[in-house]
Amino acid sequence: MQDPTPGSTAAEGAAAISVAEASNQPLVGKKDKLEELCVNTIRFLAVDAVEKAHSGHPGTPMGMADMAYVLWTEFLRHDPLDPHWKNRDRFILSAGHASMLIYSLLHLTGYPDMTMEELRNFRQWGSRTAGHPEYGHASGVEVTTGPLGQGFAHGIGMALGARMLGARFNGEDPFTPVNHFVYSICSDGDLMEGISSEAASIAGHLGLGNLIYFYDDNNISIEGETRLAFSEEVKKRFEGFGWHVLTIDGHDRGAIRKAIKRAQKETARPTLIMARTIIGWGSPKFHGTARAHGEPLGADEVKATKAALGWPQEPTFHVPDEVRAEFARKTKKLARERKQWEREMTAWRARHPQLAEEWDRYWSHTLPEGFEAPLLEAAKSDKAVATRALSGQVIQKLASVAPFLVGGSADLAPSTNTLIKEGGSIARDKGSERKPPGADVFKSRNLHFGIREHAMGAIVNGMTLYGSWRCYGATFLIFSDYMRPSVRLAALMGIPSIFVYTHDSVFLGEDGPTHQPVEHLWSLRLIPNMTLFRPADGAEVAMAWAHAVRSTTGPTLMVLTRQKLEPIQRADDFDAQRILKGAYVLDGYTEGDLTIIATGSEVPLAVKTADLLRGEGRQVRVVSAPSLDLFDRQAQDYQDEVLGDRSRVVCIEAGRSDGWFKYVNRDALVIGIDRFGASAPYERIAEELGFTPEKVAARVREWK
Ligand SMILES: Cc1ncc(C[n+]2csc(CCOP(=O)(O)OP(=O)(O)O)c2C)c(N)n1
């Protein structure tokens, strides 16, 4: 290999390690040469794919290639032929813009669906090689990354999931079914984003020693050197969080190996390996510069880089035979561990049949036949009750039949009613502030996210992605804003995370407009592929939870009241499955010249208003719409039947009105709240904003 000639570079000072210096690989011996060839293959697959797509990020994979190579060929326990192996190490490329790095690794290690054709189709319509790695597109991509910081925090959910599962199944037996690591490569951007601090803080607090993160410390982001905006001492910061921090030259493969080994031995703290690297490593002109970050190198520079690293100019997407053989050899070795695990697992099952049954239940999320009935029973009430309280009752019942259901709140559990009674707390042991919790603590079911909604969203997703859990995170609806990026990712990935949002409207009262959601219902409903429930009574709450735990294709959002709601009178033979149509005619009046449709706390209001109007001789039907997302998925005929004449509909919901016009004509009456709320007792707010039966009835009379 020739040393590339460092050309003019904007990177000075700390960033300006020369390529020759950074390579630091005395090229003696066959092994080193072969290794160098393997690492350069990763680099040039990225370079060529970005060049062909005319878009992408070549410099970061070029800089990360050494760490990725060592990790993926010597440490990461995975089997491309069984990508869902339960005890595999999880790998997260948090710096999702460097996606060609993971695609190259998946290809070279032999994931059957990551063909050369896919690499050639990088960033093209229908390919598995999306611009940023997308969960479900390519096996081996454990989580969708791209919004910086998210992958970092999702990985912490996975590590927590692993510790919790281990606490349940790694017993006295010498064989421990769960003993893998969670690895990630993250970047400056990941560490700058606030979510990583929240998540790192929890990981340090809980002593998640099964986490090994690489920080690609290359001093470069889009606008130039990171020193423009980032000068904190990352090492001290993470040590402050309680992490074990190592610093290495990220191009020194020997140092990388040593660091991973040290990290694996550190069981009481998560490890951050700060790896100093050079972005665009190998590019004579652009290495160490922001220019290498987010655009193709360009034909001339590709040529120069290939020449500098002794790489053939043609063909593009070149994988030397010996490289292919080397990856195959090393992957086969790592994959052996899977087979060994399977064998030991079979023996373990025979020794512990009951535990094995439980293990299967966790992974299949099996629920007893007819499990909804006790939920419905638990949520029955003939008194006024807040839906958050009903939800709390349902959670207890559900938790008793679904051991895989766990969750927590961002320091609001007494208000969100999400604590699993007798579920214990995942927290540090009392009296040992700096000592990580003992293994037993992870047997508990209640998570305490602290006041960290951003991380909570991502951790719930990480737990869900892990595979054995159904996990919820709870806070006030207003603070869903603080976790929206993760909620969106859950929907995009199509995973069944559960988000519980209480204090769902201005009717939370005295806390005032900072705490009163107005735009949130519609804002959340705009996210595709998720199901928002705003239940009106116990039956709807129970069915919402039943939907949430059964879902496999997207997140469920539970939106619940703080205030008490009058119970809804239901016929004895009411079929609760109707609730899952999303909207249904509530009372017996199937004919009616007016339809009032409402959600959650406005359903009892609709019922009372209808009574008033019926007293005046009008035909009125009431429709309860606990989930407009489910309603949207019903056949057109059903939707037409429920809504009736779309000019003769009154919609009532304590939130922005705009979205309702999707269901009704412009001349329909939509009673919403198109202003911020106010601080006052909720009865007064209802009076002022016109949310009383008398005021609604008056609006109806005025209208038609
Ligand atoms: C939340 C978020 N904000 C902004 C971006 C756009 N973006 C993509 S990469 C990047 C800079 C990243 O710099 P760094 O993390 O150091 O990556 P490197 O330059 O090393 O590739 C930015 C701002 C993003 N992907 N996510």
Side-chain angles (χ1 to χ4, degrees), residues 57 60 64 95 97 132 146-148 187-190 192-193 216 218 220-222 226 279 293:
H57 301 75
T60 319
M64 292 174 173
H97 56 279
H132 294 82
L148 290 163
S187 63
D188 294 305
D190 285 305
M192 285 190 224
E193 289 291 351
D216 180 48
N218 66 15
I220 291 292
S221 63
I222 291 180
T226 49
I279 194 167
H293 166 91

Side-chain angles (χ1 to χ4, degrees), residues 511-533:
D511 271 337
T514 57
H515 282 51
Q516 293 169 345
V518 172
E519 72 278 25
H520 296 73
L521 287 172
W522 279 113
S523 163
L524 288 166
R525 284 177 184 138
L526 285 176
I527 300 175
N529 194 40
M530 63 97 199
T531 308
L532 183 147
F533 279 92

